[in-house]
Amino acid sequence: MARIGFVGLGNMGLPMAANLCRAGHAVVGFDLSEAAMTGLEAAGGRRAVDAAGVAAGAEMVITMLPASRHVREVWLGGLAAAARADAIFIDCSTIDVAAAREVAAAVNQPLLDAPVSGGVMGAENATLTFMVGGEDSAVEAARPVLEAMGRSIVHCGAAGAGQAAKACNNMLLAISMIGTCEAFLLAEKLGLSHQGLFDVASKSSGQCWAMTSYCPVPGPVPASPANRDYKPGFAGALMLKDLGLAQAAAASTGASTPLGARALELYEAFCAEGGAGTDFSGIIQMLRGQG
């Protein structure tokens, strides 16, 4: 079992750290929230006095932070310097590709960018998908630790490749969720039941994850947020952030992503109308109000 330092114990980070404790790893964590620190201790971890304090003696150091600037501040502000010379670094935050590569180049040890897919439910159930960028040897060394938090670990390529995969995946997810919502809204107008559309689309050419695992209407998929008044597994504000990263990447590379651009506009409107703290599938409520 490994000694692991963990910085960032929010909605995703805390259950991820708890799963590491459950797997028998010795976890030392830090977060600015006292409630998060108390939660870590309840899960069997120990608290550090500051971010750099988690690195002392740790074989691996993991971060799960809100944005690029936080990743730069934490890793370059003392965390990397305080770590053991043979420690492996893992950043699970979702940030832009350029920032991931910049920080990886600035530290002296292997830093994997390993953003996740699966939301809070995936973090709680240890069923996350990790999209990993970095050196082959570091990925293999980190794999047993990542497997304690997730079901699928995909090595996407060199530094920054994990963030690139996350941006592409979540742009596709947003587009498919909007399309799924529109299909259910049209079905309502046509007098077709939610279950009737689900029974067809989930088994035919309209099948997608947004339909079968995260259905945006109550009933067909009991575990979906639609059955909990759209309490977030993945908040609208986070989807808006990821769509912004995807569009920034599209602009910097000259990629044509008209549906991604429109999805960004719709999620901007959704968040502006109060959906920022609602699950991203709740955009169906905004679209229904426009009908």
Side-chain angles (χ1 to χ4, degrees):
M1 295 295 103
R3 178 180 169 88
I4 301 170
F6 206 115
V7 180
L9 302 169
N11 291 335
M12 294 291 291
L14 182 56
M16 290 167 68
N19 282 326
L20 291 174
C21 293
R22 202 168 291 120
H25 298 292
V27 180
V28 179
F30 178 76
D31 193 278
L32 294 175
S33 165
E34 176 59 27
M37 297 286 270
T38 301
L40 176 66
E41 290 177 320
R46 294 191 298 110
R47 66 170 66 201
V49 296
D50 55 25
V54 308
E59 298 164 63
M60 294 188 188
V61 181
I62 302 172
T63 51
M64 176 58 96
L65 301 167
S68 299
R69 68 179 180 87
H70 303 103
V71 172
R72 289 189 183 95
E73 288 170 2
V74 169
W75 283 105
L76 305 182
L79 181 60
R84 285 171 27 170
D86 60 349
I88 292 173
F89 302 153
I90 307 171
D91 178 42
C92 295
S93 318
T94 296
I95 62 174
D96 64 270
V97 176
R101 290 173 175 162
E102 172 195 333
V103 176
V107 300
N108 294 323
Q109 285 143 258
L111 171 59
L112 305 177
D113 53 292
V116 302
S117 178
V120 174
M121 287 190 296
E124 291 173 346
N125 297 324
T127 56
L128 294 169
T129 293
F130 286 87
M131 296 154 267
V132 189
E135 299 175 9
D136 292 357
S137 59
V139 174
E140 291 312 306
R143 190 175 293 274
V145 169
L146 296 176
E147 287 175 343
M149 300 181 287
R151 178 180 292 164
S152 178
I153 292 84
V154 182
H155 186 193
C156 301
Q163 298 295 349
K166 178 68 182 286
C168 295
N169 180 77
N170 277 24
M171 181 180 72
L172 178 58
L173 172 59
I175 294 167
S176 63
M177 178 56 76
I178 292 167
T180 299
C181 291
E182 289 184 351
F184 275 108
L185 295 176
L186 177 59
E188 291 173 3
K189 296 288 188 181
L190 294 171
L192 177 63
S193 71
H194 292 159
Q195 191 65 49
L197 174 60
F198 179 85
D199 288 345
V200 171
S202 65
K203 298 178 180 65
S204 59
S205 54
Q207 190 276 332
C208 62
W209 188 89
M211 172 71 71
T212 57
S213 297
Y214 221 76
C215 188
V217 296
V221 178
S224 73
N227 296 287
R228 304 189 305 277
D229 197 28
Y230 299 98
K231 180 181 177 181
F234 188 66
L238 296 177
M239 180 55 82
L240 179 59
K241 169 195 167 185
D242 289 358
L243 285 168
L245 292 173
Q247 285 306 293
S252 69
T253 58
S256 176
T257 56
L259 290 180
R262 182 57 179 147
L264 174 63
E265 292 172 353
L266 288 170
Y267 273 98
E268 284 176 334
F270 176 57
C271 290
E273 293 179 14
T278 300
D279 190 80
F280 83 103
S281 61
I283 198 170
I284 193 171
Q285 297 175 308
M286 183 190 81
L287 296 173
R288 182 179 284 114
Q290 294 175 351

